Amino acid sequence: MKAFVFPGQGAQFPGMGKALYEENPKAKELFEQANEILGFRITDIMFDGTAEELKQTNVTQPAVFLHSVILAKTTPDFAPDMVAGHSLGELSALVANGTLAFEDGLKLVYQRALAMQEACEINPSTMAAILGLADEKVEEICAGIKAEVVVPANYNCPGQLVISGSNKGIEIACEQMKAAGAKRALPLPVGGAFHSPLMEPAREKLQKAIEATEFNTPSCPVYQNVSTTAVTAVAAIKANLIAQLTAPVKWTQSVQNMVADGATEFVECGPGKVLQGLVKKIHPPAEVSGL
């Protein structure tokens, strides 16, 4: 069975999507439609902008989404047996399997980006990658830091867990992780504590937007970050999507469940190769490729 997986923030690069725009008339049409919906020419930033310009959340999220979704929409015979997306990528996955219309997906992504940007400004906060420490140990250290917000945020693959929280909390946690034997505890260059309780203001805003959007029955199951299992019921998809901003991304568990349900081939749809690498670490026998 073939699973299509969609990357999140961090997969962007200058020039992304340019060849697709120039070589495929349908892609060009969708990119131009996106410029209109957003009210600015995001394609100019994607194709000719600097890495710094691309890094702004309100640009990054729609840019990664557009690259991923337009690739899926212009791939002949695109027929996944199952889909999943890492964080932001979940919205790309939901357009790819027909749950959301292209236009609605893009509007939600842009609202999500603006809401997250705003939440970051309310609560200055950050994230850090913890390498070479068991998930259970990372969870235990986070739970032990009571005075600050620090939580596991991204279960990327065995031995790689990203934590999220207040600046002070992350600083304390990194020291304790190193003392507990972590190979590395690296603060990440991000604007805020994504997938933590500090994203609550963004979650409330996004909830309103999600509830006002039409969701359709998907063409195949989506393995969501929050539930990690196959979901096809619209009400459950919505609830998981709303919970996602303040809950951890359980990528390891999602991939394991996709494999348990018969996935043998994983195709990364979007910029970069990060997810191909993570899938290989989670399940070495899997066949991985990119579109």
Side-chain angles (χ1 to χ4, degrees), residues 144-167:
I145 300 169
K146 306 286 188 202
E148 296 287 337
V149 174
V150 193
V151 295
N154 296 348
Y155 291 78
N156 284 334
C157 65
Q160 190 193 119
L161 210 165
V162 175
I163 59 172
S164 194
S166 64
N167 292 338

Side-chain angles (χ1 to χ4, degrees), residues 98-281:
T99 307
L100 286 169
F102 172 73
E103 191 173 318
D104 291 336
L106 178 57
K107 285 176 182 170
L108 279 182
V109 166
Y110 195 52
Q111 285 168 301
R112 179 185 193 267
L114 295 177
M116 285 171 81
Q117 190 73 49
E118 213 170 283
C120 294
E121 285 157 18
I122 297 167
N123 295 306
S125 49
T126 192
M127 300 173 86
I130 311 302
L131 307 180
L133 206 55
D135 291 357
E136 296 73 24
K137 191 67 193 166
V138 176
E139 290 165 352
E140 185 190 310
I141 291 170
C142 288
I145 300 169
K146 306 286 188 202
E148 296 287 337
V149 174
V150 193
V151 295
N154 296 348
Y155 291 78
N156 284 334
C157 65
Q160 190 193 119
L161 210 165
V162 175
I163 59 172
S164 194
S166 64
N167 292 338
K168 183 75 181 151
I170 293 294
E171 198 182 308
I172 297 165
C174 283
E175 289 305 317
Q176 292 189 14
M177 301 286 177
K178 284 180 200 160
K183 280 188 194 144
R184 309 190 69 178
L186 302 169
L188 297 174
V190 294
F194 304 142
H195 301 289
S196 84
L198 295 174
M199 283 290 120
E200 183 56 30
R203 191 196 67 78
E204 286 170 10
K205 282 196 162 164
L206 197 65
Q207 178 167 359
K208 288 193 179 84
I210 287 169
E211 283 168 354
T213 302
E214 189 183 338
F215 279 59
N216 310 302
T217 304
S219 62
C220 68
V222 57
Y223 288 68
Q224 288 181 279
N225 296 172
V226 170
S227 68
T228 78
T229 52
V231 187
T232 52
V234 167
I237 290 173
K238 276 189 171 184
N240 289 334
L241 200 55
I242 291 164
Q244 195 220 57
L245 279 190
T246 51
V249 172
K250 295 183 175 172
W251 188 251
T252 302
Q253 300 87 329
S254 300
V255 171
Q256 286 166 341
N257 285 332
M258 292 166 100
V259 168
D261 291 347
T264 53
E265 197 182 331
F266 287 79
V267 182
E268 182 164 8
C269 188
K273 294 181 175 180
V274 171
L275 299 185
Q276 293 172 60
L278 296 182
V279 168
K280 268 302 202 194
K281 284 179 180 153

